[in-house]
């Protein structure tokens, strides 16, 4: 955080955590018109609105997926968007027809195929076993903010484990 604050840039970080020391802006689902515009920024071929709307709904208007699927669809000259949507519905992002190179934004020299790139965003290899366990437990809860004392109860945290639990939460927040 200190490094980011030292930059003369405006930095947007996304997280379900709500760090007290950062300005928080709540982001909602991308409006449908913006989602269509974002897709069409990277996909130049003509398409039917109903197909595009269904595809965007299928991926829950997820901005990164919109961009990646639009770029992959633009590269794939063999199939139109309707066919790509059918492939997505049947095989999801693992479909071999969609595995074009995707460059990582931070390190442009590094690239992965679409599905491998998406998996790399959820790489847990640098997490401790406790951090992985707590992430699993959080995945079972509805997405909202919780008082830490309630989490002690929900997760069965004993009094002598509370400090370790809070430190693990801090570590997870830092790791994103």
């Amino acid at each position: 955080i200190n490094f980011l604050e030292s930059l003369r840039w405006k930095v947007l970080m996304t997280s379900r955590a709500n760090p007290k020391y950062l300005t928080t802006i709540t982001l909602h689902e991308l409006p449908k018109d913006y989602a269509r515009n974002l897709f069409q920024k990277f996909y130049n071929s003509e398409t039917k609105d109903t197909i595009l709307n269904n595809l965007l709904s299928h991926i829950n208007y997820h901005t990164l997926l919109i961009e990646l699927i639009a770029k992959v669809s633009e590269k794939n000259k063999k199939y139109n968007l309707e066919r790509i949507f059918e492939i997505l519905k049947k095989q999801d992002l693992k479909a071999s027809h969609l595995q074009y190179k995707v460059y990582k934004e931070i390190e442009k020299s590094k690239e992965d195929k679409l599905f491998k790139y998406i998996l790399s965003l959820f790489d847990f290899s640098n997490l401790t076993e406790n951090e992985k366990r707590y992430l699993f437990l959080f995945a079972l809860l509805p997405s909202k903010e919780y008082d830490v004392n309630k989490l002690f109860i929900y997760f069965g945290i004993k009094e002598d484990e509370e400090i370790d639990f809070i430190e693990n939460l801090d570590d997870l927040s830092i790791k994103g």
Side-chain angles (χ1 to χ4, degrees), residues 81-91:
L81 193 60
E82 186 171 5
R83 177 68 179 123
I84 288 173
F85 180 46
E86 290 300 318
I87 291 169
L88 267 174
K89 286 193 301 189
K90 289 180 183 166
Q91 301 175 43

Side-chain angles (χ1 to χ4, degrees), residues 6-175:
S6 73
L7 299 174
R8 294 183 182 188
W9 304 338
K10 293 189 180 205
V11 178
L12 175 66
M13 297 185 318
T14 58
S15 175
R16 288 186 180 197
N18 192 6
K20 303 278 186 247
Y21 48 87
L22 294 175
T23 303
T24 303
I25 302 170
T26 302
L27 298 176
H28 302 284
E29 182 179 271
L30 190 63
K32 293 175 184 176
D33 288 341
Y34 292 135
R36 276 194 301 277
N37 290 342
L38 178 60
F39 190 91
Q40 291 169 333
K41 177 180 177 183
F42 301 105
Y43 183 76
N44 298 314
S45 301
E46 206 168 306
T47 184
K48 297 177 186 171
D49 282 344
T50 55
I51 299 298
L52 181 54
N53 291 339
N54 290 338
L55 184 144
L56 295 171
S57 175
H58 181 73
I59 60 173
N60 295 315
Y61 302 93
H62 189 281
T63 52
L64 178 61
L65 290 181
I66 291 170
E67 178 180 341
L68 294 176
I69 291 171
K71 287 177 175 179
V72 164
S73 299
E74 181 66 23
K75 287 181 179 183
N76 189 332
K77 298 301 182 189
K78 186 175 180 181
Y79 301 115
N80 64 19
L81 193 60
E82 186 171 5
R83 177 68 179 123
I84 288 173
F85 180 46
E86 290 300 318
I87 291 169
L88 267 174
K89 286 193 301 189
K90 289 180 183 166
Q91 301 175 43
D92 216 358
L93 297 165
K94 294 180 270 190
S96 61
H97 303 297
L98 303 178
Q99 300 313 307
Y100 288 86
K101 290 179 184 174
V102 178
Y103 292 90
K104 296 185 178 182
E105 288 303 314
I106 295 173
E107 301 174 83
K108 295 259 187 214
S109 62
K110 295 195 176 182
E111 61 188 38
D112 275 323
K113 300 290 186 176
L114 176 66
F115 189 65
K116 190 173 178 188
Y117 172 77
I118 291 170
L119 288 178
S120 75
L121 299 174
F122 303 98
D123 180 9
F124 298 122
S125 62
N126 66 336
L127 299 181
T128 66
E129 289 306 312
N130 272 344
E131 291 169 342
K132 290 177 189 176
R133 184 171 67 96
Y134 295 140
L135 276 180
F136 174 77
L137 293 172
F138 273 108
L140 301 174
L141 294 174
S143 179
K144 68 176 195 174
E145 202 167 318
Y146 291 92
D147 177 75
V148 72
N149 292 311
K150 294 278 187 197
L151 293 175
F152 294 154
I153 296 166
Y154 296 159
F155 297 165
I157 305 297
K158 298 176 186 147
E159 190 173 343
D160 63 336
E161 299 171 330
E162 290 176 355
I163 291 174
D164 185 52
F165 176 74
I166 291 170
E167 288 177 345
N168 274 278
L169 293 184
D170 289 342
D171 291 342
L172 283 169
S173 180
I174 289 166
K175 293 176 182 179

